């Protein structure tokens, strides 16, 4: 039997099985089938037509400007901190089919995300009576730049002087900005994490006053604050009970120092301690996280951030994870930092940090300011994954964004967006990723944005690296 005959027999038997008992029944069945088919087709066509009309109508509507409400005047520089826009990174989003959203923290008055931290540290200290404005008090901090600039900015606005200890190999424009803000800058050689120079800011804060204030409520031994008041002006007291009270059930309680009212007017030296001060974490848990949740209307699949002090990724990530349990929190980490291995393998180590191989403090990389400390530890349990980003990739991303989006960003922002691209490759189309655009490129011109510096350190400038990353 031939092939054609076999096929004919097959269809004949199939027709016999599908044959309807009467022509009327057959017409009814086929009528129902055709009706359902036409209904589905017309519904789909109507839906697509409505969607087309909606998208066309949206294009004709001019973009809504930033809302300006009547009788709304912010209280100076402080009122400008936070509530930064969340912007779509068009070039990356269009190429990936995944929405990459950047929190434009470089629009804060001090030019970086650290404005939030500086404000929270100072206001928390004021609320606890540790700092009093316009008394000649000085804020001390060790930093590679951004936190120092924010402390100097916020400090000036609130009535404080500022002294910043920083490595002498950071971009010179950071020093220049600090000096223009009236901050005293003490530059030191980069040192090992165990070197006493790492505690120089703390030491300077204690040297500032004649008396160290201790036993402050809600603080441990790490607090460093001194006053220029004389020791005799600081009164100590302990708890006492009446003679007729049963003291067997009342433990002896040592109360904190009671500071005389005159003491509040004397200058103090205050160590901000951004790495260990939990105000850092709370600035993002109470500010950045809620803002991102509102701006995305809760439609968010992942959050990406680097970790300098750890407050941003820990505070923002923890808030978002609490509100959206399925959101992925991902660390972006530069070469030379051990945080990547801490997240991936629970081991705080990197080959460049091993003895004899580390050339500069924290990370041997052109990316400044991101790298275990208390603030990072507060969010370690909610970090789902980590990506390591090379100097070459960060430089390529920064130039790519200028070319395609007109975004002139710093090194940390570029690292975050490289990690976003890698993460997007693992998510479905239409997903949403939010990240932090920490600062602009303006304070990185002599290093990260200097072609001469990069060439001298054998770091290529090649935007095709991002093209390849997007296409892979």
């Amino acid at each position: 039997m031939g092939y054609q005959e076999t096929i004919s027999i097959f269809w004949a038997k199939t027709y016999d099985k599908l044959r309807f008992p009467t022509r009327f029944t057959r017409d009814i069945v086929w009528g129902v089938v055709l009706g359902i088919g036409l209904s589905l087709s017309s519904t789909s066509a109507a839906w697509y037509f409505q969607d087309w009309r909606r998208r066309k109508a949206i294009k004709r509507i001019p973009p809504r400007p930033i809302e300006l409400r009547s009788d709304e005047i912010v209280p100076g520089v402080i009122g400008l901190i936070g509530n930064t826009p969340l912007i779509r990174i068009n070039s990356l989003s269009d190429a990936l089919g995944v929405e990459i959203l950047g929190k434009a923290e470089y629009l804060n008055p001090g030019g970086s995300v650290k404005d939030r931290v500086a404000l929270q540290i100072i206001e928390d200290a004021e609320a606890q009576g540790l700092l009093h404005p316009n008394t000649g008090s000085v804020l001390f901090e060790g930093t590679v730049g951004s936190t120092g600039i924010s402390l100097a900015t916020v400090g000036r606005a609130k009535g404080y002087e500022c002294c910043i200890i920083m490595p002498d190999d950071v971009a010179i424009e950071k020093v220049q900005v600090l000096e223009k803000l009236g901050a005293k800058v003490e530059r030191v050689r980069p040192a090992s994490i165990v070197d006493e120079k790492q505690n120089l800011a703390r030491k300077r804060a204690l040297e500032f006053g004649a008396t160290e204030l201790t036993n402050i409520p809600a603080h441990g031994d790490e607090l460093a604050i001194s006053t220029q008041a004389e020791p005799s002006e600081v009164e100590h007291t302990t708890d006492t009970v009446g003679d007729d009270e049963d003291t067997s059930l009342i433990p002896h309680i040592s109360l904190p120092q009671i500071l005389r009212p005159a003491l509040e007017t004397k200058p103090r030296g205050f160590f901000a301690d951004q790495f260990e001060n939990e105000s850092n974490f709370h600035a993002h848990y109470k500010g950045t996280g809620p803002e991102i949740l509102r701006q995305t209307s809760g439609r968010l699949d992942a959050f990406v951030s680097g970790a300098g002090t750890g407050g941003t990724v820990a505070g923002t990530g923890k808030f978002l994870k609490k509100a959206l349990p399925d959101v992925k929190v991902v660390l972006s980490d530069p070469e030379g930092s051990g945080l990547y291995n801490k997240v991936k393998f629970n081991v705080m180590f990197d080959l460049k940090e091993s003895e004899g191989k580390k050339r500069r403090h924290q990370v041997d990389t052109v990316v400044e300011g991101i790298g275990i400390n208390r603030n990072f530890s507060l969010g370690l349990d909610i970090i789902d994954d980590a990506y390591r980003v090379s100097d070459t990739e960060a430089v390529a991303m920064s130039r790519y964004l200028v070319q395609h989006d007109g975004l002139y960003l710093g090194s940390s922002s570029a690292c975050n967006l490289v990690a976003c691209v890698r993460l997007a490759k693992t998510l479905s189309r239409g997903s949403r990723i939010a990240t932090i655009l920490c600062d602009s490129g303006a304070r990185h011109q002599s290093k990260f944005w200097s072609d001469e510096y990069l060439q001298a350190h054998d770091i290529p400038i090649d935007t095709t690296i991002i093209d390849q990353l997007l296409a892979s």
Side-chain angles (χ1 to χ4, degrees), residues 13 18-19 25 36 61 66 73-74 83 97 104 134 141 161 166 177 195 200 228 236 326 335 346 356 380 383 429:
K13 291 181 178 180
L18 294 176
R19 185 182 298 171
T25 305
I36 293 173
I61 298 173
I66 295 174
I73 301 173
V74 299
N83 292 312
N134 303 308
E141 184 60 294
E161 303 292 328
M166 63 193 310
V177 171
D195 193 287
L200 190 56
Q228 290 187 355
H236 295 265
D326 293 330
E335 290 179 318
N346 200 31
L380 186 59
I383 299 177
R429 291 183 66 85

Side-chain angles (χ1 to χ4, degrees), residues 371-427:
I372 197 152
N373 58 72
R374 175 179 299 172
N375 283 294
F376 183 78
S377 298
L378 288 173
L380 186 59
D381 61 322
I382 53 90
I383 299 177
D384 300 294
D385 204 352
Y387 290 99
R388 174 162 286 165
V389 180
S390 69
D391 281 347
T392 301
E393 290 172 321
V395 168
M397 178 60 80
S398 67
R399 273 61 174 180
Y400 182 92
L401 292 169
V402 165
Q403 290 179 12
H404 296 273
D405 298 273
L407 284 171
Y408 179 44
L409 301 175
S411 54
S412 302
S413 305
C415 277
N416 287 344
L417 289 169
V418 171
C420 283
V421 172
R422 289 186 176 165
L423 175 61
K425 298 286 186 177
T426 69
L427 303 178

Side-chain angles (χ1 to χ4, degrees), residues 117-423:
V117 176
L119 180 60
Q120 192 74 46
I121 287 175
I122 293 172
E123 290 192 337
D124 285 352
E126 289 176 336
Q128 297 171 60
L130 305 180
L131 279 174
H132 302 281
N134 303 308
T135 56
S137 295
V138 180
L139 311 172
F140 292 84
E141 184 60 294
T143 171
V144 295
S146 290
T147 303
I149 292 171
S150 294
L151 281 170
T153 301
V154 179
R156 275 294 180 188
K158 291 183 71 68
Y160 301 98
E161 303 292 328
C162 198
C163 179
I164 301 299
I165 315 296
M166 63 193 310
D168 61 9
D169 62 347
V170 301
I172 188 62
E173 50 269 23
K174 295 181 181 180
V175 179
Q176 294 169 341
V177 171
L178 281 167
E179 291 176 341
K180 294 296 187 296
L181 287 166
K184 178 184 176 182
V185 180
E186 185 174 347
R187 306 186 73 185
V188 298
R189 288 300 304 158
S192 166
I193 196 66
V194 297
D195 193 287
E196 64 178 6
K197 292 190 185 71
Q198 297 302 328
N199 293 317
L200 190 56
R202 176 188 175 88
K203 180 181 178 182
R204 292 285 186 264
L206 295 177
E207 291 174 345
F208 178 80
T211 306
E212 179 181 354
L213 301 180
T214 57
N215 300 326
I216 304 296
H219 287 274
D221 296 335
E222 75 280 354
L223 180 72
I225 180 170
S226 66
T227 174
Q228 290 187 355
E230 295 299 323
S232 60
E233 295 182 89
V234 179
E235 180 180 323
H236 295 265
T237 185
T238 56
D239 181 69
T240 59
V241 295
D243 295 337
D244 58 343
E245 294 184 66
D246 182 5
T247 59
S248 62
L249 299 178
I250 305 177
H252 180 74
I253 301 174
S254 177
L255 296 179
Q257 295 170 337
I258 296 178
L259 307 180
R260 294 176 177 174
L263 188 58
E264 296 182 358
T265 64
K266 298 296 179 71
R268 296 184 181 182
F270 179 82
F271 176 41
D273 199 11
Q274 59 173 326
F275 284 90
E276 300 296 328
N277 194 324
E278 292 184 19
S279 295
N280 185 343
F281 170 88
H282 291 297
H284 298 289
Y285 186 84
K286 297 190 297 184
T288 317
E291 287 175 26
I292 291 175
L293 184 68
R294 288 196 302 270
Q295 288 169 316
T296 59
S297 298
R299 294 190 296 111
L300 187 67
D301 298 285
F303 171 69
V304 173
S305 176
T309 59
T312 308
V313 68
T316 307
K318 200 134 195 173
F319 177 86
L320 291 174
K321 201 80 164 181
K322 181 179 180 181
L324 307 169
D326 293 330
V327 75
K328 293 187 69 174
V329 178
V330 176
L331 174 70
S332 166
D333 209 34
E335 290 179 318
S337 168
L339 297 181
Y340 170 85
N341 285 327
K342 181 64 179 177
V343 172
K344 300 288 283 187
F345 312 112
N346 200 31
V347 177
M348 187 65 180
F349 173 78
D350 185 83
L351 187 61
K352 288 187 178 182
E353 293 184 322
S354 59
E355 190 67 30
K357 294 188 178 182
K358 190 172 184 180
R359 299 197 298 272
R360 68 182 300 277
H361 166 56
Q362 193 185 28
V363 273
D364 187 16
T365 171
V366 72
V367 177
E368 294 180 348
I370 57 177
I372 197 152
N373 58 72
R374 175 179 299 172
N375 283 294
F376 183 78
S377 298
L378 288 173
L380 186 59
D381 61 322
I382 53 90
I383 299 177
D384 300 294
D385 204 352
Y387 290 99
R388 174 162 286 165
V389 180
S390 69
D391 281 347
T392 301
E393 290 172 321
V395 168
M397 178 60 80
S398 67
R399 273 61 174 180
Y400 182 92
L401 292 169
V402 165
Q403 290 179 12
H404 296 273
D405 298 273
L407 284 171
Y408 179 44
L409 301 175
S411 54
S412 302
S413 305
C415 277
N416 287 344
L417 289 169
V418 171
C420 283
V421 172
R422 289 186 176 165
L423 175 61

